[in-house]
Amino acid sequence: MTTIFNAHLLNDESNLWLACPICNRYKSDKITNIDSETGEIVKLFNPRTQVWSEHFFWTKDGLQIVGKTPTGRATVKALHLSDDADVLEVRSYWVLAGWHPPEN
């Protein structure tokens, strides 16, 4: 897998966003990943400039995030948004509590 890193953005406020520790660990300083459908290298989702619902949706059970676009698919894969066992376990508790998935 080819991933492009941009080290000068590590502590730049424009590159920082609130994230869970698991997602943050996977994200690290990655800014691109490969889209699983096209094989193209694409930029990861940027919550400061892009709309979540345009790139992702929740599965009916509320446990997994699915990418709709090349950016969405590359981000789901890079951040392990739908295949990390710890993330899925925590989300399952949120679903049981009625906190998840978010409506918007």
Side-chain angles (χ1 to χ4, degrees):
M1 175 171 68
T2 303
T3 304
I4 299 171
F5 294 93
N6 198 343
H8 80 276
L9 289 177
L10 287 176
N11 294 315
D12 185 318
E13 185 177 342
S14 69
N15 191 49
L16 302 177
W17 197 258
L18 183 62
C20 77
I22 296 169
C23 293
N24 198 37
R25 182 180 64 237
Y26 286 126
K27 165 80 172 65
S28 184
D29 57 355
K30 293 181 194 86
I31 58 172
T32 65
N33 200 22
I34 297 174
D35 172 21
S36 57
E37 281 190 21
T38 66
E40 299 287 323
I41 296 174
V42 298
K43 288 184 179 181
L44 297 179
F45 177 73
N46 182 341
R48 290 184 184 266
T49 61
Q50 295 174 296
V51 178
W52 192 92
S53 61
E54 292 177 6
H55 296 278
F56 310 97
F57 67 91
W58 291 102
T59 55
K60 287 185 180 189
D61 62 7
L63 296 180
Q64 295 181 310
I65 299 172
V66 179
K68 297 190 216 180
T69 64
T71 292
R73 291 185 295 268
T75 303
V76 168
K77 186 173 181 174
L79 276 60
H80 297 267
L81 297 176
S82 290
D83 65 5
D84 183 281
D86 293 330
V87 169
L88 296 175
E89 182 177 1
V90 168
R91 282 188 200 144
S92 73
Y93 298 136
W94 294 348
V95 169
L96 288 172
W99 302 337
H100 197 70
E103 293 185 19
N104 293 327

